Amino acid sequence: MTRRKSDVFQSSRPVARAERVTRRLFLKQGLAASSTLVMPVVGIGASVSQAPDTPPPMKPLTSPGLPFSNYGQPSPHEHRVIRWISANPMAPANGVSWTPLHDLEGTVTPNSLHFERHHNGVPQLDPARHRLLLDGMVERPLQFSLDALGRYPMVSRLCFIECGGNSSAAWRRQPLQAHAGYFHGLISCSEWTGVSLATLLAEAGADPQAGWLIAEGADAAGVSVSLPVPGIIDHALLALYQNGERIRPENGYPLRLVVPGWEGIVNVKWLRRLKLASEPLMSRYETAKYTDLLPDGRARQFSFPMQVKSLITRPSVGFNLPGPGAYEISGLAWSGKGRIHRVEVSVDGGKSWQSARLQEPVLPACLTRFRAAWRWEGVPAVLVSRAIDENGEVQPSRDALLAARGEHSRYHYNGLVSWLVRGDGAVEHVYL
Amino acid sequence: MSICEPAPCTGYRISAARSTSRNRFSIQRRMYPLLLAVLMAPPVAAVSPGFGWGVPASPEDIRANDYLVTKDGVGLPPGGGTALEGELLYRQRCEKCHGSLGRGASAEELVGGIGSLSSENPDRTIGSYWPYAPTLFDYIRRAMPIDAPLSLTDPEVYAVAAYLLYLNHLISETQVMDAQSLPRVVMPNRNGFVPAFP
């Protein structure tokens, strides 16, 4: 399913879709509850079973199910769980697609739903003809085929990749009313497996004086960025696999540079060249873009690790609470600089906070799921989450972020996100 | 209801496990003398210190796909062009997305905004925001026009870059932009970036 919006990075949703999503959610939960006969915990109202068009329960099967499949697909009932595409109509290969965080649970993003930010489309690369060139300040410039790379010892890292432009609509003066994922979903989390950068640099005999690594993709935009070697040497990898299978084309097939916790643009997809240099390139992608303009006219550059951040995904915009009762608040927290130490949740717009439960595993530069029990009394409530990472860095309020960075930063929003649960159970995005 | 009949499953697992362990054992046995030889060899004798699966990249291999141009202009190719030459090209190849005179269409604004960065309505363009002129060559050559990247010749890239610098009042209409002159163009926002790392 393809939906396009002309407004790159900013999407809104048709109301009809929101209602469908909400309905589907409650149907699913209603069925689960009736089959296990336990107390409903999450947003299951009696109203669900009373809805006039509720289909009757399934009957036991009297014929065999479908045969095996070579490559599994989601249930057809889940066809509305999609990436939302916002691309430029004049250049349809330039844009983004958003991970539907509001439809997902746990921490790992299915490969088919990993967010995309392409500057000029998804190149169709033939792995038999793709080469990685490693040159510059090295003793031995080398080329690697994919087969050759596949023979090196590998490592796996479960980590998030977040676009520097994620949540950019939160810089706007008016709160955008869009599903959580179609607003904050330029973040996804996968297990990436490949060869550590350090291994390959040693192969080529890297000059210890080379402070910067220039990485370039084989896409039609030729994305190129500079990375400080000391900052990445311990954790960057040349990934061949994403969640166990070969990387998807739209996520960099057949080779992607993964720098856990660092902004999306430096996780160069379709990697074709690494060049060691003494200075950064100052490419368009590290000057004109992905830099934060400050009120005094200067701009923050090379702000690589994504800052501590969190977001309630359930309930969030598009959800409709069917009535007062016991609910679970569920959300995601992350920091590009380490592990999440604590997440606090407020249901009164930040007046009081309580610690949420962190679900294991809690890994550095990885999505962490938090959960908190909540009894909704049926009156308006403002839900907010606030994350603190292991370095003691606290997710700032939106006001504090604006005070520090001004209104025109455009990138790297990590302020608090607040949802108003209205008296009728609908959820709205609000600024505190 | 059981999904998997116990007997075939177990049988399969046992045979798979057996054959794997047998193979592993024989490989180890065969490799053992080799391993000893490696361990006992003088370390200085090693040709390549690592695994050695990469193949040497020749200067031709490197040149064949080299589009990198640094901020100081290293990598700029021969050739040159002026804004006068670039104007027609811009109209034919760029204007439909970037607008006449570099503003007012679907894609980024390329012109104007100089001095606006600390104002209420900052306007980030090549003229107001980009710190280095050679980056313009680097980017246009590899990425623009977005519907036909790498379709411009090097002199055409110089010419259209010159036209954009001219529209931003940074050079004159007749000034030739080439490997020597482009790095010397002083961009207004040259010192506007503050590195946040480390």
Side-chain angles (χ1 to χ4, degrees):
Chain A
M1 180 184 292
T2 303
R3 294 168 194 230
R4 295 208 164 109
K5 287 281 297 172
S6 57
D7 194 357
V8 173
F9 277 161
Q10 286 149 14
S11 75
S12 55
R13 78 206 142 76
V15 172
R17 187 192 139 82
E19 284 166 1
R20 284 199 306 267
V21 169
T22 310
R23 241 196 87 59
R24 171 170 50 79
L25 192 92
F26 289 131
L27 281 176
K28 238 177 5 192
Q29 289 168 347
L31 286 173
S34 63
S35 63
T36 50
L37 294 174
V38 292
M39 277 295 291
V41 225
V42 189
I44 300 146
S47 57
V48 170
S49 50
Q50 286 161 8
D53 56 347
T54 301
M58 297 282 293
K59 292 208 174 77
L61 294 189
T62 53
S63 59
L66 292 176
F68 304 93
S69 56
N70 289 117
Y71 199 90
Q73 298 295 324
S75 159
H77 298 285
E78 299 299 315
H79 71 275
R80 289 191 190 93
V81 179
I82 56 164
R83 295 191 283 224
W84 187 272
I85 299 167
S86 340
N88 179 340
M90 289 290 285
N94 183 324
V96 297
S97 75
W98 307 77
T99 294
L101 299 175
H102 50 279
D103 279 329
L104 304 180
E105 254 296 345
T107 55
V108 173
T109 311
N111 288 345
S112 303
L113 295 174
H114 193 291
F115 87 88
E116 303 167 274
R117 171 44 173 140
H118 308 315
H119 287 270
N120 204 5
V122 180
Q124 304 299 298
L125 300 182
D126 176 354
R129 294 167 57 204
H130 188 74
R131 297 283 178 280
L132 173 69
L133 172 64
L134 174 51
D135 72 319
M137 295 170 71
V138 295
E139 278 169 37
R140 298 169 290 278
L142 294 174
Q143 282 193 95
F144 298 89
S145 67
L146 266 298
D147 282 350
L149 286 174
R151 287 178 215 124
Y152 282 88
M154 295 195 197
V155 286
S156 295
R157 271 298 305 265
L158 197 56
C159 62
F160 71 80
I161 295 180
E162 182 181 19
C163 176
N166 194 21
S167 314
S168 65
W171 294 106
R172 291 194 198 173
R173 293 200 176 152
Q174 294 304 318
L176 175 76
Q177 301 304 327
H179 280 107
Y182 300 155
F183 174 177
H184 301 283
L186 297 184
I187 183 167
S188 302
C189 187
S190 310
E191 186 201 55
W192 299 96
T193 302
V195 184
S196 83
L197 174 68
T199 303
L200 273 211
L201 292 193
E203 288 287 273
D207 181 342
Q209 302 300 313
W212 291 84
L213 181 73
I214 291 162
E216 186 181 63
D219 55 327
V223 167
S224 52
V225 294
S226 318
L227 289 143
V229 177
I232 62 169
I233 191 70
D234 290 338
H235 63 312
L237 68 136
L238 305 166
L240 298 157
Y241 297 88
Q242 174 186 6
N243 290 331
E245 65 179 357
R246 290 283 182 176
I247 296 175
R248 291 291 174 90
E250 67 268 36
N251 282 297
Y253 182 86
L255 186 65
R256 179 172 200 168
L257 179 62
V258 172
V259 189
W262 285 30
E263 64 177 332
I265 187 72
V266 304
N267 291 260
V268 177
K269 293 176 284 192
W270 315 293
L271 186 70
R272 67 176 204 129
R273 187 177 189 186
L274 293 172
K275 182 176 179 174
L276 282 166
S278 56
E279 283 187 310
L281 197 63
M282 301 297 250
S283 78
R284 181 233 184 196
Y285 300 97
E286 56 205 23
T287 55
K289 303 290 155 183
Y290 304 108
T291 50
D292 304 327
L293 183 59
L294 303 174
D296 66 2
R298 293 180 309 155
R300 283 171 82 235
Q301 186 190 25
F302 298 135
S303 57
F304 299 117
M306 297 305 287
Q307 303 292 310
V308 62
K309 186 165 169 183
S310 71
L311 173 76
I312 293 169
T313 54
R314 181 164 53 89
S316 57
V317 170
F319 284 70
N320 246 305
L321 307 195
Y327 291 87
E328 182 185 64
I329 293 172
S330 170
L332 294 166
W334 63 95
S335 164
K337 291 181 165 176
R339 288 178 183 77
I340 287 298
H341 170 64
R342 192 165 79 238
V343 176
E344 297 166 339
V345 168
S346 172
V347 295
D348 55 12
K351 288 190 203 75
S352 62
W353 298 88
Q354 66 178 72
S355 283
R357 198 158 44 80
L358 300 188
Q359 180 176 287
E360 293 292 331
V362 178
L363 300 171
C366 191
L367 291 189
T368 298
R369 179 62 66 176
F370 65 86
R371 302 179 187 284
W374 173 48
R375 177 162 289 280
W376 184 48
E377 306 297 351
V379 294
V382 176
L383 313 188
V384 204
S385 65
R386 178 167 73 188
I388 298 141
D389 74 10
E390 62 181 337
N391 310 303
E393 290 192 18
V394 183
Q395 183 181 8
S397 70
R398 185 170 173 278
D399 284 346
L401 191 64
L402 284 168
R405 303 249 299 273
E407 273 189 71
H408 302 289
S409 186
R410 187 182 285 170
Y411 298 101
H412 306 112
Y413 180 91
N414 73 320
L416 303 183
V417 177
S418 320
W419 309 123
L420 164 68
V421 179
R422 295 190 330 213
D424 65 0
V427 182
E428 258 178 48
H429 177 212
V430 290
Y431 290 154
L432 289 181
Chain B
M1 186 182 78
S2 101
I3 296 168
C4 171
E5 293 293 317
C9 279
T10 324
Y12 173 74
R13 280 203 203 102
I14 285 171
S15 64
R18 267 190 198 140
S19 67
T20 317
S21 66
R22 206 165 40 226
N23 286 344
R24 209 182 285 142
F25 183 61
S26 59
I27 287 168
Q28 276 173 4
R29 280 254 300 257
R30 264 189 277 123
M31 300 245 312
Y32 193 56
L34 197 81
L35 206 76
L36 269 185
V38 170
L39 287 175
M40 288 161 67
V44 280
V47 181
S48 159
F51 300 85
W53 295 117
V55 299
S58 69
E60 295 76 57
D61 292 331
I62 296 172
R63 266 198 301 274
N65 283 306
D66 190 5
Y67 298 106
L68 293 176
V69 175
T70 72
K71 62 185 171 52
D72 305 315
V74 177
L76 282 172
T82 65
L84 269 178
E85 293 156 8
E87 183 176 351
L88 179 63
L89 195 66
Y90 180 86
R91 287 224 198 92
Q92 291 167 338
R93 307 293 304 274
C94 322
E95 193 174 271
K96 66 172 172 176
C97 298
H98 290 288
S100 68
L101 306 179
R103 290 181 75 88
S106 67
E108 339 277 282
E109 295 187 338
L110 305 176
V111 174
I114 295 179
S116 73
L117 295 183
S118 57
S119 75
E120 282 281 286
N121 292 305
D123 191 6
R124 279 160 271 204
T125 73
I126 295 166
S128 68
Y129 204 51
W130 289 42
Y132 293 93
T135 311
L136 199 50
F137 187 99
D138 174 276
Y139 180 70
I140 295 173
R141 178 169 64 172
R142 64 174 67 226
M144 289 292 140
I146 206 168
D147 47 6
L150 293 177
S151 63
L152 302 184
T153 65
D154 290 343
E156 285 175 334
V157 177
Y158 279 119
V160 83
Y163 181 62
L164 294 172
L165 292 170
Y166 162 73
L167 288 179
N168 278 295
H169 306 297
L170 298 172
I171 62 168
S172 77
E173 210 170 6
T174 51
Q175 222 170 317
V176 177
M177 286 296 107
D178 59 21
Q180 279 71 48
S181 58
L182 193 59
R184 287 205 295 267
V185 176
V186 179
M187 302 298 277
N189 199 37
R190 164 80 119 237
N191 299 315
F193 291 90
V194 189
F197 190 88

